[in-house]
Amino acid sequence: MRFDKSMKMKKQFLLICMMMILGGTNAQKSQVIGFVDSDVILAKLPEYRAAQKDLDDLAAKYQGEAQLMQSSLEQMYRDFTAEEILLTNEKHRQKKEAIEQKESELIKFRETKFGPTGELYQERARLVKPLQDKVYDAIQNVAKKEGYAYIFYYSKAIGAQRLFVFKNKVL
């Protein structure tokens, strides 16, 4: 964990140094640089807190369902190992197939609920994306109004770092 923080700090320092070097080409002009952590802004929005609570509740619901499926699978496996010696070859094969089927259902459930295109991700996009867009638009407006040359934008929620250059029209 400490190594990850150190690497992040080094990357950010390198990025800032590069921007200062690039900014040096226009040394005669004063350039204003801004830093924005959108997570701080979003945390202050009541709509975001409500959306986050809804997402947490939905994730807990899905996690509970997955846990029930996992418990059922584990019980099936325990029963199978307890009776395995007494089973005929046909019954052994049937029970083993039932366990494999249940296991594949659990994997599919987790993918459809928690995967990168799963329901939780889609719900998050539906609830949070408009709020992030609202923050992004506000950042753009302030940057243009105040004359910022560069805005470093960071959001842990979306796991992204962006650089917006306003005077040169790169966003």
Side-chain angles (χ1 to χ4, degrees), residues 46-60:
E47 304 101 318
Y48 179 77
R49 289 193 302 264
Q52 195 60 48
K53 184 187 178 317
D54 291 347
L55 289 172
D56 291 344
D57 293 346
L58 187 60

Side-chain angles (χ1 to χ4, degrees), residues 12-98:
Q12 289 174 348
F13 177 75
L14 182 62
L15 185 61
I16 290 170
C17 287
M18 288 175 54
M19 292 312 302
M20 287 180 171
I21 290 170
L22 290 174
T25 58
N26 295 328
Q28 63 272 36
K29 295 181 184 176
S30 156
Q31 295 192 0
V32 183
I33 298 174
F35 297 90
V36 176
D37 184 349
S38 68
D39 296 332
V40 173
I41 297 168
L42 286 171
K44 293 182 181 191
L45 293 175
E47 304 101 318
Y48 179 77
R49 289 193 302 264
Q52 195 60 48
K53 184 187 178 317
D54 291 347
L55 289 172
D56 291 344
D57 293 346
L58 187 60
K61 175 187 167 203
Y62 290 158
Q63 187 60 39
E65 291 175 24
Q67 188 59 43
L68 284 174
M69 292 174 78
Q70 179 72 34
S71 298
S72 173
L73 177 64
E74 289 170 358
Q75 185 61 47
M76 284 177 73
Y77 187 74
R78 281 192 297 272
D79 292 346
F80 173 73
T81 44
E83 321 173 319
E84 188 173 17
I85 297 173
L86 305 172
L87 297 173
T88 64
N89 285 343
E90 182 62 25
K91 281 285 188 189
H92 185 274
R93 186 186 58 73
Q94 288 175 352
K95 291 217 178 219
K96 199 168 187 174
E97 285 177 1

Side-chain angles (χ1 to χ4, degrees), residues 5 47-48 64 91 94 101 105 109 129 138:
K5 269 189 173 178
E47 304 101 318
Y48 179 77
K91 281 285 188 189
Q94 288 175 352
Q101 175 67 28
E105 288 173 13
F109 176 82
K129 179 90 169 82

